[in-house]
């Protein structure tokens, strides 16, 4: 199965980027490859052989997705890319609920945008929000190569504006799935707007909810504090049921009731 076998490069873009992740974290960006909080007795060492075993026995990555992942990992901001196993979980959930319309808040080179587009039906649509056209231009040729470019509606402007436009356009309760993975300062706003945009039974996935472990000891007014407050809010939010998954930098799944 050449499409799904990945000797060394499998961990590129998922695990082999620990050092850059620290740089990314310090820059206030993605920090999904930091080691933290894993008890020394746990057999599940992040980036270790057991993580490789998990990928070896679960990742069924579309060849064009793999190509995009390897391409993105060589790029200087490659650490911002979502992890392939996490993306696969999102795609599986989207497939399970027969998602037709999805929102991506924070596209980067479009790994997860492509990942979602691949599981949506022919008339499905991903509204892909980012402020940076340069990042998207790296992925776009591969969206085309995978034959799903027509399902991707890229909107280059602050995501809040795009979400407001969708609401103003009467698209509340018409989306099935949202993935929030952009500037952390606006996470609460993204959550509220996405909650209005998705239907009952729809899913909001939120990345980096553990913020490198710093949610345990947030300082006042920092991003960890905001993230912690959002985690508290969602935990008590009667509009959703929730699962928080300790995968990479923490993934919350909120299922709209
Ligand atoms: C962690 S990356 C997204 C990774 C992506 N989900 C993937 O599949 O690899 C965060 C992205 O959010 C974008 N971003 C930052 N501020 C934004 C804003 N206000 N509105 C929309 N996108 C924003 C950045 O340009 C960056 O591409
Ligand atoms: C994962 O698969 C690769 C390629 O087949 C292999 O070289 C490696 O030993 C495997 N690792 C584990 C832990 O299964």
């Amino acid at each position: 199965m050449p499409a799904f076998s990945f000797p060394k490069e499998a961990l590129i873009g998922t695990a082999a980027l620990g050092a850059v992740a620290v740089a990314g974290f310090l820059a206030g960006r993605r920090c999904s490859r930091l080691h933290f909080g894993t008890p020394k007795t746990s057999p599940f060492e992040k980036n270790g052989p057991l993580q490789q075993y998990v990928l070896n026995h679960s990742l069924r990555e579309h060849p064009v997705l793999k190509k995009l992942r390897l391409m993105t990992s060589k790029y200087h901001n490659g650490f911002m890319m979502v992890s392939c196993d996490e993306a696969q979980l999102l795609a599986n959930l989207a497939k399970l609920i027969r998602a037709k319309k999805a929102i991506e808040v924070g596209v980067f080179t479009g790994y997860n945008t492509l990942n979602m587009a691949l599981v949506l039906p022919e008339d499905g649509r991903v509204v892909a929000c980012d402020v940076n056209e340069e990042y998207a231009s790296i992925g776009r040729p591969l969206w085309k190569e995978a034959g799903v470019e027509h399902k991707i509606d890229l909107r280059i402007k602050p995501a809040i504006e795009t979400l407001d436009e969708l609401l103003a356009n009467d698209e509340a309760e018409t989306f099935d799935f949202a993935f929030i993975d952009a500037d952390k300062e606006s996470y609460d706003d993204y959550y509220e707007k996405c909650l209005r945009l998705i239907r009952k039974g729809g899913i909001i996935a939120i990345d980096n909810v553990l913020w490198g472990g710093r949610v345990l000891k947030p300082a006042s007014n920092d991003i960890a504090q905001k993230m912690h407050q959002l985690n508290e809010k969602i935990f008590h939010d009667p509009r959703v049921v929730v699962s928080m998954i300790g995968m990479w930098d923490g993934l919350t799944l909120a299922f709209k009731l």
Side-chain angles (χ1 to χ4, degrees), residues 62 64-65 114 117-118 120-124 139-152:
H62 187 285
V64 183
L65 265 181
L114 173 58
L118 285 165
L120 296 182
E122 264 314 292
D123 58 345
R140 202 198 297 265
L142 296 187
W143 305 346
K144 199 170 178 171
E145 185 179 331
V148 295
E149 197 193 21
H150 61 286
K151 299 185 203 171
I152 300 174

Side-chain angles (χ1 to χ4, degrees), residues 167 170-175 195-200 256:
L167 287 166
D170 263 348
E171 294 191 63
E173 309 239 311
T174 66
F175 286 84
L195 199 53
R196 289 173 60 195
L197 285 164
I198 64 164
R199 61 162 166 98
K200 285 185 172 45
K256 184 169 172 177

Side-chain angles (χ1 to χ4, degrees), residues 80-82 104 106-108 112 130-131 135 158-159 181-183 190:
M80 291 206 295
M81 178 173 45
V82 71
E104 181 86 0
V107 175
F108 188 42
N112 192 57
D130 208 293
V131 283
Y135 293 153
D181 189 21
D183 54 310
Y190 295 148

Side-chain angles (χ1 to χ4, degrees), residues 29-30 72 77-83 87 104-115 129-133 135-136 155-162 179-187 190 207-208:
R29 310 307 307 231
R30 190 175 189 80
T72 305
N77 279 333
F79 61 85
M80 291 206 295
M81 178 173 45
V82 71
S83 303
E104 181 86 0
V105 180
V107 175
F108 188 42
T109 62
Y111 184 88
N112 192 57
T113 301
L114 173 58
N115 173 57
C129 314
D130 208 293
V131 283
N132 188 316
E133 182 124 48
Y135 293 153
R155 308 214 188 165
I156 301 293
K157 60 175 72 168
I160 290 286
E161 287 178 27
T162 298
F179 183 44
I180 300 176
D181 189 21
D183 54 310
K184 313 305 164 199
E185 296 79 6
S186 303
Y187 260 36
Y190 295 148
D207 204 15
N208 306 102

Side-chain angles (χ1 to χ4, degrees), residues 68-109:
L68 179 55
R69 174 166 57 82
L70 295 178
M71 198 188 232
T72 305
S73 66
K74 293 194 192 97
Y75 185 65
H76 62 98
N77 279 333
F79 61 85
M80 291 206 295
M81 178 173 45
V82 71
S83 303
C84 52
D85 49 344
E86 183 178 333
Q88 182 173 284
L89 171 62
L90 302 182
N92 288 345
L93 287 168
K95 214 168 165 173
L96 188 70
I97 65 166
R98 296 196 171 85
K100 224 174 143 174
K101 282 175 77 181
I103 304 170
E104 181 86 0
V105 180
V107 175
F108 188 42
T109 62

Side-chain angles (χ1 to χ4, degrees), residues 5-8 10 48-57:
S5 73
F6 37 88
K8 273 186 227 95
L50 213 45
Q51 172 65 22
Q52 178 68 63
Y53 184 91
V54 167
L55 294 179
N56 278 6
H57 294 88

